[in-house]
Amino acid sequence: MKQLTHILWFISLCLIIVSCQKENRDQSELSLELPKIETEQVRNVTSSSAFGGGEITDDGGGEIMESGLCWSESNPPTTSDYKGVNYSGLNKFELEIKNLNTSSKYYLRAYAVNKKGTNYGSVVDFTTSRELTKTESIARLIVIETNKIRNELGLDALVETEIGNALAQYHSSNMSEYDFFSHTDNLGESVWERARRFGLVYSTLGENIARRGPYPSNPTAELVAKGIVKIWVDSPGHYQNMVSNSYNKIGVGVVFNEKNEAIATQVFYHN
């Protein structure tokens, strides 16, 4: 009888412990909220890719089980559409979105998941460009490579602009056509004079130029872009332009001359 009493007492104690644990767990789950996340603006949009990002600002009181980006040609996008997962474990992240359709409008937003469920940031939209020519692809990759370098240093990305690209392309084309290699062009104008003639408004302005090759026929855009960027990275003055906080905009222009050399101009400015 005494032994039976001890057994019943032990069972009762176990039930009390389990009940307390369940109550604590229930209270914890009741206090759990959905995570909060913000969507970053999309940048470096090409005909088939783009870079997007997000930042988790509140975990909702629980562990973040997954975060990332989702996108679709329909609004709003959800994780049931296309998605990219943030494997970095960081609250602030950036992902490259690939295999997009050309000349198409997309909707994108960041998401985060905890035990409470999935929550989304605001929706941003972007439109992919038409199919780029070889030299346009090289120029775009130079912008991307430059911003990768800046990102590794914790610097803000440079924003590519149409007028910046036009100014850079003009100088690269002139260097090819008139067979010179200098910051001073065939008309005796400097980059500052060219910029004013193009109507570019700026407070600071800089320029990099490069010539690389000759290349065999039909080199890949990646090969040419990385080679040109390496020239600038290996040159202290050119590298300083690439990582300077004095600039927030960029333009790039690339041509191939008769020797199949790649001639590139990079324009940096702030306005």
Side-chain angles (χ1 to χ4, degrees):
M1 186 69 178
K2 195 172 185 178
Q3 185 178 6
L4 178 60
T5 302
H6 287 162
I7 292 172
L8 291 173
W9 177 86
F10 178 74
I11 292 172
S12 298
L13 180 62
C14 289
L15 289 172
I16 291 170
I17 292 172
V18 170
S19 177
C20 289
Q21 289 177 340
K22 184 177 186 301
E23 184 177 347
N24 289 337
R25 186 166 60 249
D26 289 344
Q27 288 296 327
S28 175
E29 290 177 358
L30 284 173
S31 64
L32 185 64
E33 297 180 349
L34 288 172
K36 295 179 182 178
I37 188 166
E38 296 178 354
T39 307
E40 303 286 339
Q41 286 298 316
V42 178
R43 62 180 185 83
N44 289 342
V45 181
T46 72
S47 60
S48 61
S49 66
F51 283 84
E55 182 174 8
I56 300 167
T57 58
D58 190 334
D59 61 14
E63 179 187 358
I64 298 297
M65 302 164 63
E66 182 178 305
S67 63
L69 302 174
C70 57
W71 61 93
S72 173
E73 292 185 61
S74 300
N75 189 24
T78 71
T79 53
S80 298
D81 298 309
Y82 295 105
K83 73 173 185 176
V85 178
N86 166 34
Y87 291 108
S88 70
L90 301 175
N91 285 341
K92 187 170 184 176
F93 58 90
E94 182 178 70
L95 300 174
E96 184 177 8
I97 308 159
K98 298 182 179 180
N99 302 317
L100 301 174
N101 296 322
T102 60
S103 303
S104 299
K105 185 173 184 177
Y106 282 90
Y107 300 91
L108 173 144
R109 57 180 174 172
Y111 73 90
V113 184
N114 64 11
K115 284 188 177 181
K116 184 75 172 181
T118 301
N119 202 12
Y120 296 92
S122 57
V123 176
V124 298
D125 63 76
F126 64 97
T127 302
T128 54
S129 62
R130 59 176 172 77
E131 194 71 41
L132 300 179
T133 65
K134 172 64 74 65
T135 52
E136 287 173 334
S137 295
I138 294 168
R140 183 61 55 80
L141 287 170
I142 288 173
V143 173
I144 292 172
E145 290 296 318
T146 299
N147 278 330
K148 282 182 180 178
I149 293 169
R150 292 177 65 89
N151 183 60
E152 289 170 359
L153 297 174
L155 301 172
D156 291 337
L158 299 171
V159 177
E160 184 181 6
T161 67
E162 289 186 12
I163 190 171
N165 286 343
L167 179 60
Q169 188 65 42
Y170 171 81
H171 191 53
S172 292
S173 296
N174 271 358
M175 285 193 287
S176 174
E177 182 177 354
Y178 295 100
D179 194 24
F180 70 92
F181 185 69
S182 172
H183 291 285
T184 303
D185 65 23
N186 56 303
L187 300 177
E189 291 185 336
S190 66
V191 62
W192 296 279
E193 291 167 316
R194 289 191 294 274
R196 285 193 290 270
R197 186 154 55 82
F198 268 70
L200 178 67
V201 178
Y202 63 89
S203 57
T204 56
L205 179 67
E207 182 182 72
N208 285 348
I209 59 174
R211 179 171 57 193
R212 189 176 180 91
Y215 288 94
S217 60
N218 200 29
T220 66
E222 290 80 5
L223 174 69
V224 178
K226 287 182 180 295
I228 289 170
V229 170
K230 186 177 187 307
I231 290 175
W232 289 327
V233 169
D234 291 343
S235 170
H238 294 91
Y239 180 72
Q240 183 56 42
N241 276 340
M242 296 171 72
V243 299
S244 174
N245 269 328
S246 298
Y247 308 122
N248 63 358
K249 305 290 195 309
I250 187 173
V252 179
V254 179
V255 299
F256 284 92
N257 63 15
E258 293 180 349
K259 300 174 185 176
N260 212 32
E261 294 173 319
I263 299 175
T265 302
Q266 212 176 19
V267 172
F268 307 89
Y269 66 98
H270 190 288
N271 62 4

